[in-house]
Amino acid sequence: MGLCLQNLLGIKRGNYMMLTSNGMNAQECLEAGVVNEIVEKDRIVERAWEFARTYIMTRSRSCRRLTHYICVRPWKELIERDFRIHVLSEMYSFNLSGSAHDFDSIKYEGEE
């Protein structure tokens, strides 16, 4: 999550969000450029289909595929470059803090 926050909000603001665990409301996300528009909760699926029909499905399949590749490329590069260190640091801090979870009480399917 920290990796995404740093990338979307910038290093300073992303770090602040990670350290404070403060949330952002929809308007703050819009102002920070994290989202492109705000839609009422009961209209999300309807708006997604409207967007797809208007902007995405009007293009050829090859154009959609290439555009998708271009859009996800920066995220893939980011994850390949920094994901390992973020997971490592989260696991390290988890182990140092001493987990409050009781993992011995978790039952899996087929266990009694």
Side-chain angles (χ1 to χ4, degrees):
M1 186 59 148
L3 186 63
C4 295
L5 287 171
Q6 287 176 334
N7 192 54
L8 290 170
L9 302 172
I11 299 295
K12 187 174 180 181
R13 190 180 294 174
N15 289 345
Y16 179 80
M17 293 290 292
M18 281 190 292
L19 292 170
T20 63
S21 298
N22 289 340
M24 294 175 76
N25 64 33
Q27 188 61 42
E28 290 170 330
C29 287
L30 184 64
E31 291 168 3
V34 177
V35 297
N36 294 319
E37 62 183 275
I38 299 172
V39 179
E40 293 296 324
K41 187 177 182 178
D42 58 340
R43 287 202 62 242
I44 291 174
V45 174
E46 177 187 341
R47 177 62 183 131
W49 278 109
E50 178 185 321
F51 186 89
R53 283 188 205 102
T54 305
Y55 300 106
I56 298 171
M57 299 309 291
T58 57
R59 309 289 191 258
S60 69
R61 184 179 183 139
S62 58
C63 180
R64 291 192 314 261
R65 183 176 294 261
L66 290 170
T67 302
H68 171 77
Y69 176 77
I70 291 167
C71 289
V72 299
R73 186 170 170 245
W75 286 104
K76 285 185 176 187
E77 288 176 350
L78 179 69
I79 288 175
E80 287 174 6
R81 188 184 73 222
D82 288 349
F83 185 69
R84 183 177 294 137
I85 189 66
H86 279 267
V87 171
L88 177 66
S89 61
E90 285 181 27
M91 290 173 62
Y92 186 67
S93 88
F94 176 79
N95 285 326
L96 287 179
S97 65
S99 172
H101 300 290
D102 182 9
F103 291 107
D104 294 329
S105 67
I106 297 174
K107 300 291 182 206
Y108 297 94
E109 286 185 37
E111 280 189 0
E112 302 208 15

